[in-house]
Amino acid sequence: QVQLVESGGGLVQAGGSLRLSCAASGQTSSNYDMGWFRQAPGKDREFVGRITWSGRITYNANSVKGRFAISRDNAKNMVWLQMNSLKPEDTAVYYCAASKPGKSEYDYWGQGTQVTVSS
């Protein structure tokens, strides 16, 4: 079992920045690939980005490339999502999730943290 807890969400003006944190605990959590997702009201959950246990990163280029950055510290069992140049359309609940290395499905999810960007 892996437990995930997100934090760092809040209300920010357009153009501002937020840094979301995801604290992982449980069995060998540092060996998992970690993903960030978001879900806006009335919309499907959207992939934001993924960082492998070894640090390789992929992003949803259409929506966040160049503005968001994912990082992790395996020793601290932490993953971060740095969000810059935020737009109102970035408003959503943001989730971190854990996936076995190389697998597309995610086995564990956090409870989410709300990000609201005002115009």
Side-chain angles (χ1 to χ4, degrees), residues 28-100:
T28 60
S29 56
S30 62
N31 292 345
Y32 283 77
D33 294 350
M34 300 297 295
W36 283 99
F37 293 80
R38 66 186 183 183
Q39 188 165 21
K43 295 188 176 180
D44 293 335
R45 186 170 59 201
E46 178 185 34
F47 169 75
V48 173
R50 177 182 176 114
I51 183 167
T52 68
W53 67 271
S54 60
R56 183 167 58 89
I57 302 171
T58 56
Y59 294 104
N60 180 341
N62 290 337
S63 56
V64 303
K65 186 178 180 182
R67 299 189 299 122
F68 290 10
I70 297 174
S71 60
R72 71 185 295 166
D73 184 330
N74 289 339
K76 297 180 179 179
N77 291 321
M78 293 292 297
V79 181
W80 296 277
L81 178 66
Q82 177 68 43
M83 306 185 295
N84 300 322
S85 301
L86 283 163
K87 305 175 183 179
E89 51 263 43
D90 295 318
T91 295
V93 177
Y94 284 72
Y95 300 90
C96 67
S99 168
K100 291 184 175 66

Side-chain angles (χ1 to χ4, degrees), residues 102-117:
K103 300 295 185 182
S104 59
E105 63 273 13
Y106 288 80
D107 301 303
Y108 304 102
W109 293 81
Q111 84 289 350
T113 185
Q114 176 71 47
V115 171
T116 303
V117 184

